[in-house]
Amino acid sequence: MKALFKLFPLYQLVAFISGVPILFCIGLLLSQISTLHRYAVMEQKDLETVHIMLLYDNVAHNLALERGLTAGVVGAKGQGPQVQALKEQRKISDAQIQALVSYQPQHINTGIAGQLRQDVISALTQLSKVRSQVDSLNITLSPFAFYSNVNQLAIDNINALLANISDVEISPVGKSLVSIIEMKERAGQVRGALNGAFARKTSDIGQYTAIEGYISAGNYAQRLANISMPAQFKTQFDDIVTSGTWKEVIEIQEAYLAQKASLSDLAGPKPGDWFALATDRIKLINGLRNQLQKSMSNLALERSNAAQNHQYTLIGIGGVLTLLLLIMLVSSIIDLKQRVGILNSSLSSMAKQRNLTHTLESEGRDETSQVAASVNMLVQNVRNLLVSVITTNDHSKDRLNQIVQSSVDLGKSSQNTSGKCASIAAAMTELSQSSTEIAHSSERALEETKVMTNQIVACQNQSRDSFKVVEGLVEQIEHTQSCISELEKDAESVGKIVETINSISEQTNLLALNAAIEAARAGDHGRGFAVVSTEVRDLAQRSKEATEHISELLGNITNNTTTAVNNMAKSRDATGKTFESVSTVNDSIAELEHVIEQVNSHINSIADATTEQSKASEDVNQDIDTLAQIADHTGELATSMNTVVTQYSTEVAQVEGQLKEFTL
């Protein structure tokens, strides 16, 4: 997964990781808006359904009134005030029928609504014919059956429409309304049928059976209404069915049903009294019906408006939040891209130009600012370290120059020592020859002794000079060894500094690793910081490799310095032996001088002294040869040390060149 993340820029990963949840939320928002839209459309359908139900109810109600008035007019043989009331009612009924016919629904299924309406319209085609027969009192088509049929169609349509209502709060009110309409229709049928019977003072078994069925159906409707009536209307409903008017109507109905055996001589109230009493009962039912209508209509309108308001509110809030999220996401991505770009370009420029004077902008509390602050701290530490290394390297370079000069001086001193030894050897050869001549020629002893004395004096002077030269050589070798020892200590100091750099690199790597762990714990918000921590860890690794290279160079310098120290120790030992030999020569020459003085005073023992002098000369000659060899070896060691120091100086120059590539 990390390898895959490294293939893309950090801002693209952030945009993808942040954009996918936002798109998912937008999808959920659109889905919720779609759900609310469907709910709003459904509420609109319920509102239209309720409106159409009320239209059917109004038609059935007014036709029921027209039916009752028609029964009264027919029973009164077209006489009385009911005729004018019937005409006024017909106008109201026509207006309600026209409202039903002209209404065009917008949301409900027009096929179902049209079929239901068409059944009622088809039945209403006989309305004009029924009215004409009633007006002419020439009735061939039963008005009561016609009106009852139309009203039953309306009630059936209301039930069919009620089944399409999906709102759980509207449906119970609708069921109660249908029950009340059913009760009102059955009460109207009973009112009309009994109105005619009481007007004629007679009835038949068919009419009796029909009235009994109307009463029974009304009781079933009343039971259903009592079961399904909402709590806010239950008290009013109970008041209606327990009112005096309701009880009086029930008593008249039961009295009629009790006269089944004497229908031809029917006893009962006056038609006008019955019709008024039955109408009062219907008015009580109709009052509850009107309240249920109003409640159902208001509830449907309220639910529809609430659904639309919820939809618009969700669209507004969701749109604003989505816009804010997108703006924040785009702004964050642009800012992240700029910050990371600046950080990357600055680090790249520092790496390419090896410029450690540049400071990254670290203002802020975000991860990039913290990384920039950490990099600035690391660069400052590296800069301080490199300055210290440069200073130490300069000091080492000066000391190397001193060592080189001392090595050159040592080589010259060795050459001078070799020359002096050659001179001493020649003088000792001449001294040996002179001793031989003295042995052969005693007569010239005095003259030769004087000459030899002069030569011995010169030799003694030369021996003293050689002694001083060798003594100076010993001091120079000790000084050179001290310089090389200091160089070795400086190399150890540089090694400690390199170890410090390596420790800093390891700590930086450890910090980068801890940062990567913390970024992994942070999840998606820390992935950008994980990439930066990886780059910091790579930088720490490169620093560690550079310090390891410097450590190798310092190891070589340390080894070479150790070799030089050992060689200088050997040179000091050899020079010490040379110093002892020169001292021996000096002592021998002093002894020789003493012998010559004895020769001057004891001329008689010249031969013996000359023999001893010859032997001493041979020993001195051998010592001079040894001293010459030591001087030559000292010269070789000086040359070797000069070569080593030159190589070390070259390596120091290389390190200095590499350090100068950094701008501090």
Side-chain angles (χ1 to χ4, degrees), residues 12-13 27 65 100 106 127 188 218 244 253 256 275 290 368 382 413 421 423 471 480 538 569 571 585 592 594 642 662:
Q12 292 182 0
L13 292 175
L65 291 177
L100 175 63
Q106 300 295 325
L127 181 59
Q253 290 178 167
Y256 170 79
F275 190 85
N290 292 336
T368 56
V382 173
S413 298
C421 289
S423 300
E471 186 179 16
T480 301
D538 293 339
S571 298
V585 171
L592 180 60
H594 179 69
N642 190 15
F662 290 93

PDB file of all heavy atoms in Angstrom, residues 12-13 27 65 100 106 127 188 218 244 253 256 275 290 368 382 413 421 423 471 480 538 569 571 585 592 594 642 662:
ATOM      1  N   GLN A  12      -2.874  14.767  -4.400  1.00  0.00           N
ATOM      2  CA  GLN A  12      -3.837  13.924  -5.110  1.00  0.00           C
ATOM      3  C   GLN A  12      -4.394  12.841  -4.193  1.00  0.00           C
ATOM      4  O   GLN A  12      -5.593  12.524  -4.232  1.00  0.00           O
ATOM      5  CB  GLN A  12      -3.163  13.289  -6.325  1.00  0.00           C
ATOM      6  CG  GLN A  12      -2.805  14.285  -7.422  1.00  0.00           C
ATOM      7  CD  GLN A  12      -2.193  13.618  -8.633  1.00  0.00           C
ATOM      8  OE1 GLN A  12      -2.019  12.384  -8.669  1.00  0.00           O
ATOM      9  NE2 GLN A  12      -1.842  14.412  -9.644  1.00  0.00           N
ATOM     10  N   LEU A  13      -3.530  12.268  -3.341  1.00  0.00           N
ATOM     11  CA  LEU A  13      -4.024  11.264  -2.390  1.00  0.00           C
ATOM     12  C   LEU A  13      -5.016  11.884  -1.422  1.00  0.00           C
ATOM     13  O   LEU A  13      -6.060  11.295  -1.116  1.00  0.00           O
ATOM     14  CB  LEU A  13      -2.838  10.664  -1.618  1.00  0.00           C
ATOM     15  CG  LEU A  13      -1.863   9.801  -2.437  1.00  0.00           C
ATOM     16  CD1 LEU A  13      -0.685   9.373  -1.578  1.00  0.00           C
ATOM     17  CD2 LEU A  13      -2.571   8.575  -2.992  1.00  0.00           C
ATOM     18  N   GLY A  27     -23.926  11.529  -2.482  1.00  0.00           N
ATOM     19  CA  GLY A  27     -24.832  10.494  -2.980  1.00  0.00           C
ATOM     20  C   GLY A  27     -25.931  10.191  -1.981  1.00  0.00           C
ATOM     21  O   GLY A  27     -27.111  10.053  -2.348  1.00  0.00           O
ATOM     22  N   LEU A  65     -79.642  14.704   0.291  1.00  0.00           N
ATOM     23  CA  LEU A  65     -80.619  15.741   0.620  1.00  0.00           C
ATOM     24  C   LEU A  65     -81.687  15.850  -0.461  1.00  0.00           C
ATOM     25  O   LEU A  65     -82.895  15.966  -0.173  1.00  0.00           O
ATOM     26  CB  LEU A  65     -79.914  17.097   0.806  1.00  0.00           C
ATOM     27  CG  LEU A  65     -79.009  17.234   2.032  1.00  0.00           C
ATOM     28  CD1 LEU A  65     -78.319  18.598   2.035  1.00  0.00           C
ATOM     29  CD2 LEU A  65     -79.795  17.051   3.318  1.00  0.00           C
ATOM     30  N   LEU A 100     -67.020  17.912  -9.274  1.00  0.00           N
ATOM     31  CA  LEU A 100     -66.414  16.588  -9.397  1.00  0.00           C
ATOM     32  C   LEU A 100     -66.008  16.296 -10.830  1.00  0.00           C
ATOM     33  O   LEU A 100     -64.908  15.783 -11.078  1.00  0.00           O
ATOM     34  CB  LEU A 100     -67.406  15.525  -8.911  1.00  0.00           C
ATOM     35  CG  LEU A 100     -66.971  14.067  -9.088  1.00  0.00           C
ATOM     36  CD1 LEU A 100     -65.727  13.771  -8.265  1.00  0.00           C
ATOM     37  CD2 LEU A 100     -68.098  13.114  -8.707  1.00  0.00           C
ATOM     38  N   GLN A 106     -53.470  15.926 -10.644  1.00  0.00           N
ATOM     39  CA  GLN A 106     -52.132  16.119 -11.201  1.00  0.00           C
ATOM     40  C   GLN A 106     -51.145  15.022 -10.784  1.00  0.00           C
ATOM     41  O   GLN A 106     -50.150  14.800 -11.471  1.00  0.00           O
ATOM     42  CB  GLN A 106     -51.569  17.482 -10.738  1.00  0.00           C
ATOM     43  CG  GLN A 106     -52.393  18.667 -11.161  1.00  0.00           C
ATOM     44  CD  GLN A 106     -52.426  18.837 -12.671  1.00  0.00           C
ATOM     45  OE1 GLN A 106     -51.442  18.575 -13.373  1.00  0.00           O
ATOM     46  NE2 GLN A 106     -53.576  19.285 -13.192  1.00  0.00           N
ATOM     47  N   LEU A 127     -80.107  11.346 -14.203  1.00  0.00           N
ATOM     48  CA  LEU A 127     -80.569  12.321 -13.225  1.00  0.00           C
ATOM     49  C   LEU A 127     -81.665  13.226 -13.796  1.00  0.00           C
ATOM     50  O   LEU A 127     -82.695  13.476 -13.138  1.00  0.00           O
ATOM     51  CB  LEU A 127     -79.386  13.168 -12.730  1.00  0.00           C
ATOM     52  CG  LEU A 127     -79.716  14.232 -11.681  1.00  0.00           C
ATOM     53  CD1 LEU A 127     -80.317  13.608 -10.443  1.00  0.00           C
ATOM     54  CD2 LEU A 127     -78.455  15.036 -11.329  1.00  0.00           C
ATOM     55  N   GLY A 188     -80.104   8.615   5.760  1.00  0.00           N
ATOM     56  CA  GLY A 188     -80.878   9.291   4.714  1.00  0.00           C
ATOM     57  C   GLY A 188     -81.837   8.344   4.028  1.00  0.00           C
ATOM     58  O   GLY A 188     -82.977   8.727   3.669  1.00  0.00           O
ATOM     59  N   GLY A 218     -76.733   0.711   8.797  1.00  0.00           N
ATOM     60  CA  GLY A 218     -76.343   1.876   9.584  1.00  0.00           C
ATOM     61  C   GLY A 218     -75.728   1.487  10.914  1.00  0.00           C
ATOM     62  O   GLY A 218     -74.780   2.136  11.386  1.00  0.00           O
ATOM     63  N   GLY A 244     -80.669  13.119  22.613  1.00  0.00           N
ATOM     64  CA  GLY A 244     -82.102  12.863  22.601  1.00  0.00           C
ATOM     65  C   GLY A 244     -82.652  12.666  21.214  1.00  0.00           C
ATOM     66  O   GLY A 244     -83.531  11.797  20.990  1.00  0.00           O
ATOM     67  N   GLN A 253     -87.760   4.201  14.609  1.00  0.00           N
ATOM     68  CA  GLN A 253     -87.366   3.092  13.734  1.00  0.00           C
ATOM     69  C   GLN A 253     -87.778   1.759  14.340  1.00  0.00           C
ATOM     70  O   GLN A 253     -88.283   0.872  13.630  1.00  0.00           O
ATOM     71  CB  GLN A 253     -85.836   3.130  13.513  1.00  0.00           C
ATOM     72  CG  GLN A 253     -85.375   4.293  12.667  1.00  0.00           C
ATOM     73  CD  GLN A 253     -83.866   4.337  12.509  1.00  0.00           C
ATOM     74  OE1 GLN A 253     -83.367   5.066  11.675  1.00  0.00           O
ATOM     75  NE2 GLN A 253     -83.139   3.563  13.303  1.00  0.00           N
ATOM     76  N   TYR A 256     -91.469   1.231  13.975  1.00  0.00           N
ATOM     77  CA  TYR A 256     -91.827   0.817  12.618  1.00  0.00           C
ATOM     78  C   TYR A 256     -91.538  -0.661  12.439  1.00  0.00           C
ATOM     79  O   TYR A 256     -92.351  -1.426  11.891  1.00  0.00           O
ATOM     80  CB  TYR A 256     -91.074   1.650  11.592  1.00  0.00           C
ATOM     81  CG  TYR A 256     -91.224   1.121  10.188  1.00  0.00           C
ATOM     82  CD1 TYR A 256     -92.377   1.367   9.435  1.00  0.00           C
ATOM     83  CD2 TYR A 256     -90.214   0.337   9.611  1.00  0.00           C
ATOM     84  CE1 TYR A 256     -92.517   0.849   8.146  1.00  0.00           C
ATOM     85  CE2 TYR A 256     -90.334  -0.167   8.333  1.00  0.00           C
ATOM     86  CZ  TYR A 256     -91.490   0.103   7.611  1.00  0.00           C
ATOM     87  OH  TYR A 256     -91.621  -0.419   6.328  1.00  0.00           O
ATOM     88  N   PHE A 275     -89.618  13.757   9.168  1.00  0.00           N
ATOM     89  CA  PHE A 275     -88.567  14.235   8.264  1.00  0.00           C
ATOM     90  C   PHE A 275     -87.677  15.248   8.980  1.00  0.00           C
ATOM     91  O   PHE A 275     -86.447  15.227   8.843  1.00  0.00           O
ATOM     92  CB  PHE A 275     -89.207  14.867   7.021  1.00  0.00           C
ATOM     93  CG  PHE A 275     -88.188  15.162   5.940  1.00  0.00           C
ATOM     94  CD1 PHE A 275     -87.802  14.194   5.042  1.00  0.00           C
ATOM     95  CD2 PHE A 275     -87.625  16.446   5.819  1.00  0.00           C
ATOM     96  CE1 PHE A 275     -86.875  14.469   4.059  1.00  0.00           C
ATOM     97  CE2 PHE A 275     -86.701  16.718   4.837  1.00  0.00           C
ATOM     98  CZ  PHE A 275     -86.327  15.721   3.946  1.00  0.00           C
ATOM     99  N   ASN A 290     -68.458  16.968   8.685  1.00  0.00           N
ATOM    100  CA  ASN A 290     -67.759  18.188   8.257  1.00  0.00           C
ATOM    101  C   ASN A 290     -66.451  18.376   9.018  1.00  0.00           C
ATOM    102  O   ASN A 290     -65.427  18.778   8.439  1.00  0.00           O
ATOM    103  CB  ASN A 290     -68.665  19.400   8.470  1.00  0.00           C
ATOM    104  CG  ASN A 290     -69.860  19.393   7.532  1.00  0.00           C
ATOM    105  OD1 ASN A 290     -69.818  18.786   6.456  1.00  0.00           O
ATOM    106  ND2 ASN A 290     -70.944  20.049   7.933  1.00  0.00           N
ATOM    107  N   THR A 368       3.600  20.232   8.034  1.00  0.00           N
ATOM    108  CA  THR A 368       4.673  20.736   7.170  1.00  0.00           C
ATOM    109  C   THR A 368       5.536  21.755   7.897  1.00  0.00           C
ATOM    110  O   THR A 368       6.762  21.769   7.726  1.00  0.00           O
ATOM    111  CB  THR A 368       4.068  21.356   5.899  1.00  0.00           C
ATOM    112  OG1 THR A 368       3.122  22.382   6.273  1.00  0.00           O
ATOM    113  CG2 THR A 368       3.333  20.306   5.084  1.00  0.00           C
ATOM    114  N   VAL A 382      23.959  20.236  11.471  1.00  0.00           N
ATOM    115  CA  VAL A 382      24.946  19.802  10.471  1.00  0.00           C
ATOM    116  C   VAL A 382      25.894  20.940  10.126  1.00  0.00           C
ATOM    117  O   VAL A 382      27.113  20.738   9.968  1.00  0.00           O
ATOM    118  CB  VAL A 382      24.214  19.281   9.214  1.00  0.00           C
ATOM    119  CG1 VAL A 382      25.215  18.996   8.097  1.00  0.00           C
ATOM    120  CG2 VAL A 382      23.437  18.012   9.538  1.00  0.00           C
ATOM    121  N   SER A 413      69.261  17.054   7.632  1.00  0.00           N
ATOM    122  CA  SER A 413      70.178  16.728   8.726  1.00  0.00           C
ATOM    123  C   SER A 413      70.812  15.362   8.522  1.00  0.00           C
ATOM    124  O   SER A 413      72.014  15.161   8.800  1.00  0.00           O
ATOM    125  CB  SER A 413      69.419  16.755  10.061  1.00  0.00           C
ATOM    126  OG  SER A 413      68.918  18.046  10.316  1.00  0.00           O
ATOM    127  N   CYS A 421      80.121  11.971   8.535  1.00  0.00           N
ATOM    128  CA  CYS A 421      80.657  10.623   8.756  1.00  0.00           C
ATOM    129  C   CYS A 421      81.692  10.243   7.703  1.00  0.00           C
ATOM    130  O   CYS A 421      82.705   9.586   8.003  1.00  0.00           O
ATOM    131  CB  CYS A 421      79.511   9.611   8.764  1.00  0.00           C
ATOM    132  SG  CYS A 421      78.449   9.722  10.235  1.00  0.00           S
ATOM    133  N   SER A 423      83.567  12.329   6.125  1.00  0.00           N
ATOM    134  CA  SER A 423      84.796  13.075   6.432  1.00  0.00           C
ATOM    135  C   SER A 423      85.562  12.433   7.570  1.00  0.00           C
ATOM    136  O   SER A 423      86.804  12.315   7.549  1.00  0.00           O
ATOM    137  CB  SER A 423      84.456  14.520   6.791  1.00  0.00           C
ATOM    138  OG  SER A 423      83.809  15.156   5.717  1.00  0.00           O
ATOM    139  N   GLU A 471      72.672  15.718  18.053  1.00  0.00           N
ATOM    140  CA  GLU A 471      71.820  16.146  19.167  1.00  0.00           C
ATOM    141  C   GLU A 471      70.606  16.937  18.655  1.00  0.00           C
ATOM    142  O   GLU A 471      69.469  16.762  19.109  1.00  0.00           O
ATOM    143  CB  GLU A 471      72.661  16.987  20.126  1.00  0.00           C
ATOM    144  CG  GLU A 471      71.901  17.369  21.402  1.00  0.00           C
ATOM    145  CD  GLU A 471      72.791  18.176  22.336  1.00  0.00           C
ATOM    146  OE1 GLU A 471      73.831  18.669  21.874  1.00  0.00           O
ATOM    147  OE2 GLU A 471      72.435  18.313  23.509  1.00  0.00           O
ATOM    148  N   THR A 480      59.143  16.102  15.959  1.00  0.00           N
ATOM    149  CA  THR A 480      58.291  15.515  14.898  1.00  0.00           C
ATOM    150  C   THR A 480      57.349  14.463  15.473  1.00  0.00           C
ATOM    151  O   THR A 480      56.164  14.389  15.127  1.00  0.00           O
ATOM    152  CB  THR A 480      59.172  14.881  13.815  1.00  0.00           C
ATOM    153  OG1 THR A 480      60.032  15.895  13.276  1.00  0.00           O
ATOM    154  CG2 THR A 480      58.299  14.304  12.684  1.00  0.00           C
ATOM    155  N   ASP A 538      15.400   9.251   4.683  1.00  0.00           N
ATOM    156  CA  ASP A 538      16.381   9.072   3.585  1.00  0.00           C
ATOM    157  C   ASP A 538      17.519  10.061   3.723  1.00  0.00           C
ATOM    158  O   ASP A 538      18.686   9.733   3.511  1.00  0.00           O
ATOM    159  CB  ASP A 538      15.678   9.249   2.241  1.00  0.00           C
ATOM    160  CG  ASP A 538      14.672   8.145   1.975  1.00  0.00           C
ATOM    161  OD1 ASP A 538      14.805   7.071   2.605  1.00  0.00           O
ATOM    162  OD2 ASP A 538      13.805   8.327   1.133  1.00  0.00           O
ATOM    163  N   ALA A 569      59.396   6.659  16.118  1.00  0.00           N
ATOM    164  CA  ALA A 569      59.990   6.029  17.308  1.00  0.00           C
ATOM    165  C   ALA A 569      61.247   5.267  16.936  1.00  0.00           C
ATOM    166  O   ALA A 569      62.276   5.318  17.638  1.00  0.00           O
ATOM    167  CB  ALA A 569      58.964   5.111  17.965  1.00  0.00           C
ATOM    168  N   SER A 571      63.086   5.918  14.343  1.00  0.00           N
ATOM    169  CA  SER A 571      64.111   6.915  13.984  1.00  0.00           C
ATOM    170  C   SER A 571      64.755   7.492  15.235  1.00  0.00           C
ATOM    171  O   SER A 571      65.972   7.727  15.295  1.00  0.00           O
ATOM    172  CB  SER A 571      63.481   8.037  13.152  1.00  0.00           C
ATOM    173  OG  SER A 571      62.968   7.522  11.958  1.00  0.00           O
ATOM    174  N   VAL A 585      82.808   8.440  19.686  1.00  0.00           N
ATOM    175  CA  VAL A 585      83.890   8.981  18.834  1.00  0.00           C
ATOM    176  C   VAL A 585      84.544  10.165  19.511  1.00  0.00           C
ATOM    177  O   VAL A 585      85.769  10.350  19.515  1.00  0.00           O
ATOM    178  CB  VAL A 585      83.327   9.353  17.458  1.00  0.00           C
ATOM    179  CG1 VAL A 585      84.370  10.127  16.642  1.00  0.00           C
ATOM    180  CG2 VAL A 585      82.930   8.098  16.711  1.00  0.00           C
ATOM    181  N   LEU A 592      92.466   9.984  22.265  1.00  0.00           N
ATOM    182  CA  LEU A 592      93.596  10.033  21.317  1.00  0.00           C
ATOM    183  C   LEU A 592      94.470  11.253  21.580  1.00  0.00           C
ATOM    184  O   LEU A 592      95.698  11.200  21.495  1.00  0.00           O
ATOM    185  CB  LEU A 592      93.062  10.041  19.890  1.00  0.00           C
ATOM    186  CG  LEU A 592      94.100  10.085  18.769  1.00  0.00           C
ATOM    187  CD1 LEU A 592      95.049   8.862  18.822  1.00  0.00           C
ATOM    188  CD2 LEU A 592      93.417  10.148  17.403  1.00  0.00           C
ATOM    189  N   HIS A 594      94.853  12.674  24.390  1.00  0.00           N
ATOM    190  CA  HIS A 594      95.642  12.382  25.596  1.00  0.00           C
ATOM    191  C   HIS A 594      96.820  11.461  25.278  1.00  0.00           C
ATOM    192  O   HIS A 594      97.959  11.647  25.802  1.00  0.00           O
ATOM    193  CB  HIS A 594      94.736  11.716  26.643  1.00  0.00           C
ATOM    194  CG  HIS A 594      95.453  11.362  27.919  1.00  0.00           C
ATOM    195  ND1 HIS A 594      95.933  12.310  28.817  1.00  0.00           N
ATOM    196  CD2 HIS A 594      95.769  10.144  28.452  1.00  0.00           C
ATOM    197  CE1 HIS A 594      96.516  11.709  29.828  1.00  0.00           C
ATOM    198  NE2 HIS A 594      96.433  10.373  29.640  1.00  0.00           N
ATOM    199  N   ASN A 642      57.826  11.622   5.053  1.00  0.00           N
ATOM    200  CA  ASN A 642      57.409  12.730   4.176  1.00  0.00           C
ATOM    201  C   ASN A 642      56.353  12.244   3.191  1.00  0.00           C
ATOM    202  O   ASN A 642      55.363  12.939   2.900  1.00  0.00           O
ATOM    203  CB  ASN A 642      58.646  13.269   3.456  1.00  0.00           C
ATOM    204  CG  ASN A 642      58.325  14.583   2.722  1.00  0.00           C
ATOM    205  OD1 ASN A 642      57.290  15.194   2.989  1.00  0.00           O
ATOM    206  ND2 ASN A 642      59.204  14.999   1.834  1.00  0.00           N
ATOM    207  N   PHE A 662      29.936  22.691   0.593  1.00  0.00           N
ATOM    208  CA  PHE A 662      28.776  23.116   1.382  1.00  0.00           C
ATOM    209  C   PHE A 662      28.887  24.612   1.666  1.00  0.00           C
ATOM    210  O   PHE A 662      29.956  25.117   2.027  1.00  0.00           O
ATOM    211  CB  PHE A 662      28.710  22.361   2.719  1.00  0.00           C
ATOM    212  CG  PHE A 662      28.370  20.909   2.556  1.00  0.00           C
ATOM    213  CD1 PHE A 662      29.361  19.948   2.442  1.00  0.00           C
ATOM    214  CD2 PHE A 662      27.039  20.515   2.508  1.00  0.00           C
ATOM    215  CE1 PHE A 662      29.055  18.623   2.300  1.00  0.00           C
ATOM    216  CE2 PHE A 662      26.726  19.178   2.379  1.00  0.00           C
ATOM    217  CZ  PHE A 662      27.729  18.233   2.262  1.00  0.00           C
TER     218      PHE A 662
END
